[in-house]
Amino acid sequence: SVEMADKSSIGMEDESSISKPIRAPSSLLMSAVAPITATLRAAGAFYTRQLSVRPVLTKSMTAGIIFGLSDWCAQLIEREDGENENPVVLSRILTAFLVGLLFFGPAANAWYSAIFHYLPSTSLVSTLQKAALGQIFFGPAFTCVFFGAGMIEQGTFSLGNWVQKIKDDLPGAWAAGLGFWPLVDFVSYKIIPVHWIPLFVNFCSFVWTIYLSLVANRSKSTE
């Protein structure tokens, strides 16, 4: 009878172990990423709220942070290529941050608001018109400001030097931008909601500003 009791207890343990649900890997993965998802959702809600309450300041701060990170990455690339063996220059990062904060953020907000006011349609023709205007006016204007800010940080700014820098490097930067910004503009004007366009463009600018930082500071490393 003792043996039967032992067998029955073992059988009950086996049944309980079999009947106990086993969590699937997908549920474990979802449990692991749930805190991250909740954090991102909360951050998105906070950012959306700030866009509605403080649109210009929010877009400007976002642009400043992304531009500063872009210049930091550009300096790391310069060090990897052997063009610059000096430590990371914080004044360059600060300059890029200020360009994003004080110029690109407010200017992009005003530009996109104005262009959607005068060209509200989302048709293909209207989208191409917006993209063309950005390539003709906004892009070159921003590039010139970025070059000037870089020269101020280097201590080489003068009106003559700035004009010469624009003559030397703006055509190449503009031509390089033709392979990047028209696609960004098309997606922006065709798909992205108006109030989210500056944020989308800021993230795209992360890559582009790395390139501009390399171009804007090229004269220092090649002289």
Side-chain angles (χ1 to χ4, degrees):
S1 60
V2 175
E3 293 179 357
M4 292 178 63
D6 291 340
K7 290 180 180 180
S8 62
S9 63
I10 294 173
M12 292 176 63
E13 291 177 358
D14 292 340
E15 291 178 359
S16 63
S17 62
I18 293 174
S19 62
K20 186 178 180 180
I22 300 175
R23 301 183 68 181
S26 59
S27 63
L28 292 174
L29 179 61
M30 292 189 66
S31 299
V33 301
I36 301 175
T37 304
T39 301
L40 292 176
R41 188 180 296 112
F46 174 78
Y47 191 84
T48 302
R49 186 166 60 253
Q50 294 304 309
L51 275 178
S52 61
V53 176
R54 304 175 183 87
V56 178
L57 178 60
T58 302
K59 295 170 186 176
S60 299
M61 284 297 298
T62 304
I65 293 171
I66 291 177
F67 278 39
L69 289 174
S70 295
D71 188 79
W72 175 68
C73 291
Q75 293 191 54
L76 295 181
I77 293 173
E78 290 172 352
R79 296 176 69 184
E80 288 293 329
D81 292 342
E83 297 180 6
N84 186 1
E85 298 181 356
N86 296 323
V88 172
V89 181
L90 295 180
S91 61
R92 266 185 59 175
I93 298 175
L94 177 61
T95 300
F97 169 79
L98 291 176
V99 171
L101 175 70
L102 301 178
F103 178 76
F104 186 84
N109 180 75
W111 172 262
Y112 290 114
S113 297
I115 205 166
F116 271 99
H117 175 75
Y118 292 107
L119 296 170
S121 174
T122 57
S123 65
L124 178 60
V125 173
S126 180
T127 300
L128 293 176
Q129 289 174 336
K130 296 186 188 78
L133 290 173
Q135 292 301 305
I136 294 172
F137 296 107
F138 186 78
F142 166 71
T143 304
C144 292
V145 171
F146 197 91
F147 286 167
M151 296 179 72
I152 292 174
E153 185 275 327
Q154 295 173 14
T156 60
F157 181 84
S158 69
L159 185 60
N161 289 342
W162 185 40
V163 171
Q164 189 60 47
K165 177 73 173 177
I166 292 172
K167 290 180 178 179
D168 291 342
D169 292 333
L170 180 60
W174 183 80
L178 290 178
F180 180 76
W181 283 111
L183 178 60
V184 173
D185 288 339
F186 184 84
V187 174
S188 300
Y189 297 131
K190 198 71 177 175
I191 300 174
I192 308 297
V194 178
H195 62 283
W196 285 102
I197 289 178
L199 177 62
F200 174 73
V201 173
N202 278 332
F203 280 111
C204 295
S205 295
F206 176 79
V207 176
W208 181 248
T209 308
I210 292 175
Y211 166 74
L212 281 186
S213 293
L214 295 172
V215 174
N217 293 276
R218 183 168 54 197
S219 60
K220 177 186 285 188
S221 60
T222 56
E223 286 179 355

